[in-house]
Amino acid sequence: VIHRDIKPANILLSGRHALVADFGVAKAMTSSMVEDSKTRAGFIVGTLAYMSPEQAAGEELIDARSDIFSLGAMLYEMLAGEKAFSATSEREMLARRFTHASPSVQAKRPEVPRELDRVIARSLSADPAERHHTAGEFEAALAAGWRSGASLAGSIRITDALSEVPSLAVLPFENLSGDVENDYLSDGITEEILTALARRRTIRVCARVSSFAMRKSPDDVRVIARRLGVRHVLTGTVRRAQDRLRVSVQLIDAHDGFERWSERYDRMLEDVFAIQDEIGAAIAGSLNATLLGEEMAAPPPATPPRIEVYETFLRGRFFWNRRTSDGTRRAIECFQHAIALDPSYSPAHAGLADVWVTQAIYGMAHPTEAMRQARQAAETALTFSPGLAEARAALASVVAIHDWDRQGAESMFRQAIALNPQYPSAHQGLAVLCLTPAKRFDEALDEMHRALTLDPLSPVLRVTLSSVFMYAREFEKAVETAQSVLDLDPGFAPAHYFLCQSLVQLGDTKAAIDHGEQAVEYSDASSETLSALGLALAAHKRTDQARDIISSLDQRARSTYV
């Protein structure tokens, strides 16, 4: 039997079983089948959003592969959160399945295993011959695709049984001090607790960027947990009164929304390190994670720094995370001040290395000088703390970009990952600075998916994934992935930048120019985005304007680095 109307409304769940219902337009696959008026050739039946191209065309000789297309469309929607062929009109929705390539789940949910994405994309092929021929083949391929991403499965919350590893998001603690100048303190405490928990290898902790993206979110904590792919959420408040500090924390089980544990800490400000340790240990106990007592991957300094050093370091992290020219400048000042107060404080040296690398990559400073500074800072950090993954990853970036020693850089990135497997930037750096230039695209995509499992809402990581797709010449996936960033942050310049370049490759130069202009606007006319816009203008035969950009870059190069 061909069902001809596979869709969510016709699938009933009974315990662990999925039952197909409503065979009102089904067709028996026998030669003795007598057609009635609504199933004759040329008459369209079914639901347009899930209908195969051959069924939509009114073809008479359709087979099981048509239902496989419909099931693939439903599975795509379950994973991606939107329909596979969404459009503004039924006519456009119908046309897309004939004129567009199979959509990619990874473009919407990068943490989905690559092989599983390929299986679903195959089911959505416009040509029935390219799909699996039977439901049994499709089922086996889906199972194999899921197993290929077993290490990532914990991020896709289908059932609790899929991941036995406790998962946690630490949301930004709220500053109740009445003084925005203390925001750095509440953010810093949040980050330090997050970092301390992430070092424990048997708990999956959502990375900072994704957690902090939920700041002041109006959504219920259960909705936030689903977006971040975690079971537990830690929330807290910080209140400072002169030299006294009150930190209140709550651990919430997102499965039912109930509070599992809460505590309040009243301390002198000098005890902030002890507060962080206490909260981390309490969370571990509340999760009943007895295995969390294993050795940490990257142990913190044995002796906590003076509070003034620590506060200055937190201010540096606060400014660096803005990713602006002014923010990186102020971050450098803070890290340098912290080092002046305590020359052996390795996190400040590692933070300084990160900022210099960021300035070089974003064109905020001459890369030769910026990379020299980054190398020096990272090597100094490793002198004091050889196990600091952040410092080793920063040094690997210098070796890859400045020294062009990608083999040496790959080894260093893998060392950083071994030290702290939950550090997303190490996976990202390995993917884009080592594996992609070597055309090892499948490995690069695997590393990016690991990074996005740790930090699923990071716009930087998603844009990096888009760039890997672009260099692999999978331009449609590059466009979809970059567009998903703009759905979260319409003003994120790097997303417009990569959209511009990929759209040029797809021949849509008009849209490329639009995104190129937005990239220039949101980046304050960086040389990199101006170059992308010039490329799009030239491809659109607006060569005079392209030459104007070349002239402006030549003029700019006389006074600053281009």
Side-chain angles (χ1 to χ4, degrees), residues 212-458:
F212 274 59
M214 298 293 102
R215 187 196 298 273
K216 297 183 179 179
S217 171
D219 292 332
D220 180 84
V221 69
R222 287 170 291 185
V223 175
I224 292 174
R226 283 197 295 271
R227 290 190 66 188
L228 298 177
V230 297
R231 173 66 182 265
H232 297 86
V233 174
L234 186 77
T235 64
T237 60
V238 177
R239 188 187 302 273
R240 178 179 183 177
Q242 295 181 342
D243 292 333
R244 295 200 62 83
L245 199 67
R246 170 172 291 180
V247 180
S248 300
V249 292
Q250 301 83 37
L251 183 66
I252 300 170
D253 187 335
H255 182 73
D256 53 22
F258 285 108
E259 185 179 285
R260 295 304 183 205
W261 166 81
S262 65
E263 189 59 82
R264 189 181 76 188
Y265 300 86
D266 291 293
R267 299 285 190 276
M268 297 299 293
L269 190 57
E270 287 78 4
D271 292 337
V272 65
F273 306 103
I275 294 174
Q276 293 163 186
D277 292 341
E278 286 184 54
I279 295 175
I283 295 168
S286 180
L287 289 174
N288 196 28
T290 57
L291 296 178
L292 298 188
E294 67 177 24
E295 182 181 356
M296 290 186 176
T303 304
R306 302 199 314 271
I307 191 63
E308 184 182 2
V309 176
Y310 184 61
E311 285 196 53
T312 306
F313 168 74
L314 292 183
R315 287 182 186 272
R317 290 288 295 273
F318 179 80
F319 288 127
W320 173 58
N321 282 313
R322 292 180 177 178
R323 291 298 199 275
T324 63
S325 180
D326 179 66
T328 56
R329 178 185 58 80
R330 298 180 70 177
I332 289 173
E333 293 174 355
C334 289
F335 289 136
Q336 288 178 335
H337 183 49
I339 292 169
L341 293 170
D342 184 354
S344 65
Y345 188 47
S346 56
H349 290 284
L352 192 58
D354 282 331
V355 179
W356 283 118
V357 169
T358 299
Q359 284 211 334
I361 290 174
Y362 281 72
M364 299 172 184
H366 194 294
T368 299
E369 175 60 20
M371 287 299 186
R372 184 188 68 79
Q373 298 271 19
R375 186 197 305 276
Q376 181 179 345
E379 289 177 345
T380 303
L382 291 171
T383 298
F384 294 115
S385 298
L388 196 60
E390 292 85 346
R392 195 161 294 275
L395 184 57
S397 298
V398 177
V399 172
I401 299 172
H402 186 262
D403 299 350
W404 295 85
D405 179 8
R406 296 198 182 102
Q407 184 175 356
E410 178 177 348
S411 176
M412 296 178 70
F413 275 123
R414 295 194 185 281
Q415 290 172 22
I417 292 170
L419 289 166
N420 185 0
Q422 301 202 57
Y423 183 45
S425 295
H427 296 284
Q428 175 198 17
L430 173 60
V432 75
L433 301 181
C434 297
L435 300 175
T436 296
K439 298 184 180 181
R440 294 157 61 184
F441 297 120
D442 285 346
E443 295 175 71
L445 290 168
D446 286 343
E447 290 298 329
M448 286 310 306
H449 297 149
R450 292 186 179 97
L452 279 156
T453 298
L454 298 167
D455 203 351
L457 297 184
S458 167

Side-chain angles (χ1 to χ4, degrees), residues 15-196:
R16 296 182 60 84
H17 298 281
L19 310 176
V20 182
D22 192 352
F23 286 75
V25 296
K27 178 181 177 181
M29 294 178 64
T30 64
S31 58
S32 61
M33 172 71 178
V34 178
E35 297 275 7
D36 63 18
S37 61
K38 70 180 180 181
T39 62
R40 68 180 184 270
F43 196 96
I44 300 176
V45 296
T47 303
L48 190 58
Y50 307 96
M51 192 182 296
S52 70
E54 61 270 27
Q55 187 177 345
E59 295 181 11
E60 180 180 7
L61 299 177
I62 63 173
D63 56 25
R65 293 172 294 183
S66 179
D67 282 348
I68 287 174
F69 181 98
S70 301
L71 180 57
M74 196 178 81
L75 293 174
Y76 176 95
E77 185 176 354
M78 291 167 68
L79 285 170
E82 62 182 51
K83 288 181 172 57
F85 299 98
S86 57
T88 57
S89 68
E90 290 188 352
R91 183 185 298 273
E92 182 185 355
M93 183 185 295
L94 184 61
R96 287 182 68 88
R97 68 200 65 203
F98 290 99
T99 60
H100 286 63
S102 300
S104 167
V105 177
Q106 281 189 333
K108 303 297 180 182
R109 290 287 300 275
E111 64 271 28
V112 170
R114 180 168 172 77
E115 286 304 316
L116 185 61
D117 179 42
R118 286 173 171 168
V119 172
I120 294 176
R122 179 179 173 184
S123 74
L124 296 175
S125 173
D127 183 356
E130 295 181 0
R131 300 176 212 147
H132 297 91
H133 288 199
T134 68
E137 289 181 14
F138 189 31
E139 178 193 23
L142 287 168
W146 178 261
R147 286 194 297 271
S148 73
S151 63
L152 310 178
S155 70
I156 307 172
R157 305 300 300 172
I158 295 180
T159 70
D160 292 338
L162 289 177
S163 176
E164 299 178 357
V165 178
S167 55
L168 174 71
V170 184
L171 300 187
F173 283 19
E174 185 178 0
N175 172 25
L176 299 182
S177 303
D179 183 356
V180 294
E181 288 296 318
N182 284 317
D183 281 352
Y184 79 91
L185 185 60
S186 56
D187 281 5
I189 291 175
T190 307
E191 288 194 34
E192 289 301 305
I193 293 171
L194 191 155
T195 301

